[in-house]
Amino acid sequence: MNTLEVIKKRYSYRGSYKSTPVPREDLKKILEAGLAAPSGCNKQTTSLIGLDDPQLVKSVSNIVKKNGFGGDGAPAGICVLTQKIPAWEDNYYYIQDYSAAIENMLLAITALGYASCWIEGQVTCSAETQNEIAKLLNIPADYIVVGFLPVGVPESEGKRPEYKKFEQRAWFNGFGL
Amino acid sequence: MNTLEVIKKRYSYRGSYKSTPVPREDLKKILEAGLAAPSGCNKQTTSLIGLDDPQLVKSVSNIVKKNGFGGDGAPAGICVLTQKIPAWEDNYYYIQDYSAAIENMLLAITALGYASCWIEGQVTCSAETQNEIAKLLNIPADYIVVGFLPVGVPESEGKRPEYKKFEQRAWFNGFGL
């Protein structure tokens, strides 16, 4: 699959995962894709923790799951961390930074034949959730846990949700044209 | 190039562009890549205006340039718009949404042999800049202009800035490990 195909294939998978382990080599490629994302003024505010210890993945998943969906049963996962560092003066782009990093990782995950889901609200909606994950993974206080991506071979074939038509969201040389 | 290669090749290009036009077909593929990005609760808060009218691209570029860099000389471009719609209750993910869309487009641009640069701060730092672009492109008041991506064949070969080493930003099964 080329890049445009991978971009169109990526979707948020909320089904169960096969127990097939994710080789460390693949997990590293996914993390590298995340780190290759751009960041405002190149501040590189995003950091990542790859998880392939089955017990640890399960623990993080269970913490997140308390708020809804936690990528239950995935054999691997990624915790996304950010540092609230200004890019210039009082301008912050850390949300943009980690979002680009997450999208890169979701594409890498898709390209390598795995599935995932961008889980953010169920992490950041609760300071207690963030603190529990931080404690479990020894994350220092100046790093904030903002997301969790389960990673694994999907048990079933999920599908992309309905998207609005192109002409409802994109135009040429002027709004609505 | 496969997806992982494209992800590693993408960089912020700030050089000049060849005058070679970007075919509408390619511009549409890039916009489609942007629209294929995930969004919080599938709210699809991002909209896009592709620009391939040379005069219009120049006008937008000149407006943005007043605050620094405007992708001067690019034969095409994309204006990124957002709507501040909550995903659930009072939780907003429109920044995440348009950031994922922009990253998808930057990868599509790279895959198709063009160069670009994520220009956001020089658009959003000034309400006047946002309003000037909105007026020029007939953008309604409930859409906010948050970014501009120049698109074209690069005149010279740029390069990625220095990135921190993998082990400074990513670890396995615990922070710093």
Side-chain angles (χ1 to χ4, degrees), chain A residues 36 50 96 103-104 120 173, chain B residues 36 50 96 103-104 120 160 173:
Chain A
Q96 288 86 333
E103 182 61 7
N104 271 8
E120 177 170 344
N173 298 315
Chain B
Q96 288 86 333
E103 182 61 6
N104 271 7
E120 177 170 344
R160 309 182 92 247
N173 297 316

Side-chain angles (χ1 to χ4, degrees), chain A residues 23-163:
Chain A
R24 174 68 63 96
E25 191 191 346
D26 282 359
L27 191 54
K28 192 171 183 196
K29 280 181 190 168
I30 297 163
L31 298 174
E32 283 172 345
L35 299 183
S39 61
C41 299
N42 197 30
K43 292 291 178 185
Q44 302 174 56
T45 56
T46 311
S47 297
L48 306 168
I49 302 179
L51 304 169
D52 55 8
D53 173 327
Q55 191 49 55
L56 216 45
V57 182
K58 196 176 176 184
S59 298
V60 173
S61 181
N62 283 342
I63 293 169
V64 177
K65 199 182 173 179
K66 282 187 270 182
N67 304 319
F69 174 68
D72 207 24
I78 295 158
C79 273
V80 182
L81 317 180
T82 190
Q83 288 176 285
K84 293 191 175 179
I85 299 167
W88 49 283
E89 294 171 9
D90 60 346
N91 295 278
Y92 291 79
Y93 298 104
Y94 63 91
I95 300 176
Q96 288 86 333
D97 297 350
Y98 73 68
S99 300
I102 289 173
E103 182 61 7
N104 271 8
M105 289 192 284
L106 295 174
L107 297 175
I109 287 166
T110 304
L112 292 168
Y114 302 109
S116 184
C117 185
W118 183 331
I119 305 177
E120 177 170 344
Q122 280 143 17
V123 172
T124 56
C125 68
S126 154
E128 198 186 316
T129 301
Q130 292 174 300
N131 290 339
E132 274 188 73
I133 297 171
K135 199 175 168 189
L136 183 72
L137 301 174
N138 288 312
I139 299 166
D142 53 334
Y143 287 77
I144 302 150
V145 185
V146 288
F148 175 61
L149 310 180
V151 184
V153 179
E155 188 84 66
S156 54
E157 190 58 42
K159 61 172 190 167
R160 310 182 90 247
E162 283 288 310
Y163 273 63

